[in-house]
Amino acid sequence: MITNNSSETKKLGHKFTKKLKPGNVVLLYGDLGAGKTTFVQAIAKGLGIKDRILSPTFVLQRSYKIEDSSIRYLNHIDLYRIEDPKDAKELGLSELISDKESITIIEWADRLKNLNPKMGFEIYFKYKGENEREIEIKKI
Ligand code: ADP
Ligand code: MG
């Protein structure tokens, strides 16, 4: 799909939220500024999270509690700054990925091999022009 501004990407993210089930992992791929965090913000809003979603670039991981839903948490991970695959262990990444009651979204998923989630989606973001992005959603 093509979006022509960030609100269109947010609309897409909001619509995509309906496809999410507890235990799903969403792997996001694409360069800096391609729209990954924008998309995550829309998902958070779609799940009823009122906190502002910041890019977890410096913290690597943040969890947001979801009220009145079969989904308990939205775990947002950004692997941009991960330097050593061993850091993933410290992050408790495999526990988050296998958390059957939450949704785990991972930006820069290509920074780690062998994430191997069982259920969820892979989403590819491509910068096409100042406000144009190509977004491809694949089911895992
Ligand atoms: P990433 O997390 O992939 O690094 P961000 O979502 O943080 O990217 O940033 C995307 C930037 O590009 C934002 O400043 C946003 O306003 C801008 N932008 C422009 N057009 C679009 C679009 N069609 N979709 C998403 N973001 C867009
Ligand atoms: Mg980001």
Side-chain angles (χ1 to χ4, degrees):
M1 262 156 293
I2 297 281
T3 64
N4 291 298
N5 52 56
S6 50
S7 0
E8 281 185 20
T9 297
K10 284 184 181 164
K11 234 176 259 167
L12 192 65
H14 201 273
K15 232 171 82 185
F16 171 73
T17 308
K18 298 190 187 81
K19 295 194 194 298
L20 290 171
K21 296 192 174 65
N24 278 182
V25 174
V26 185
L27 305 178
L28 306 183
Y29 301 91
D31 291 337
L32 217 57
K36 302 181 293 301
T37 302
T38 303
F39 196 83
V40 175
Q41 285 166 341
I43 289 175
K45 203 169 170 197
L47 291 172
I49 296 167
K50 295 197 175 72
D51 306 5
R52 210 169 126 225
I53 305 297
L54 303 166
S55 177
T57 301
F58 295 98
V59 213
L60 293 175
Q61 194 259 328
R62 279 171 197 266
S63 292
Y64 302 87
K65 177 93 186 78
I66 304 168
E67 307 295 339
D68 310 317
S69 167
S70 58
I71 304 167
R72 292 188 51 160
Y73 288 93
L74 173 68
N75 303 313
H76 183 197
I77 297 162
D78 190 322
L79 295 177
Y80 183 58
R81 276 171 202 279
I82 199 153
E83 272 161 14
D84 192 319
K86 287 194 200 99
D87 296 345
K89 207 169 180 185
E90 216 164 292
L91 213 65
L93 202 58
S94 51
E95 285 81 359
L96 292 171
I97 287 177
S98 52
D99 179 351
K100 302 233 169 349
E101 301 182 308
S102 301
I103 305 275
T104 300
I105 303 191
I106 307 177
E107 295 192 43
W108 292 97
D110 43 339
R111 292 277 153 119
L112 284 181
K113 306 290 166 239
N114 312 319
L115 286 170
N116 300 329
K118 294 207 167 54
M119 249 185 0
F121 300 87
E122 287 184 318
I123 309 183
Y124 296 85
F125 294 80
K126 216 182 265 171
Y127 181 99
K128 304 288 274 184
E130 199 183 338
N131 295 308
E132 191 183 344
R133 305 289 187 272
E134 188 184 282
I135 301 168
E136 192 187 355
I137 301 177
K138 290 184 189 171
K139 200 158 174 17
I140 296 172

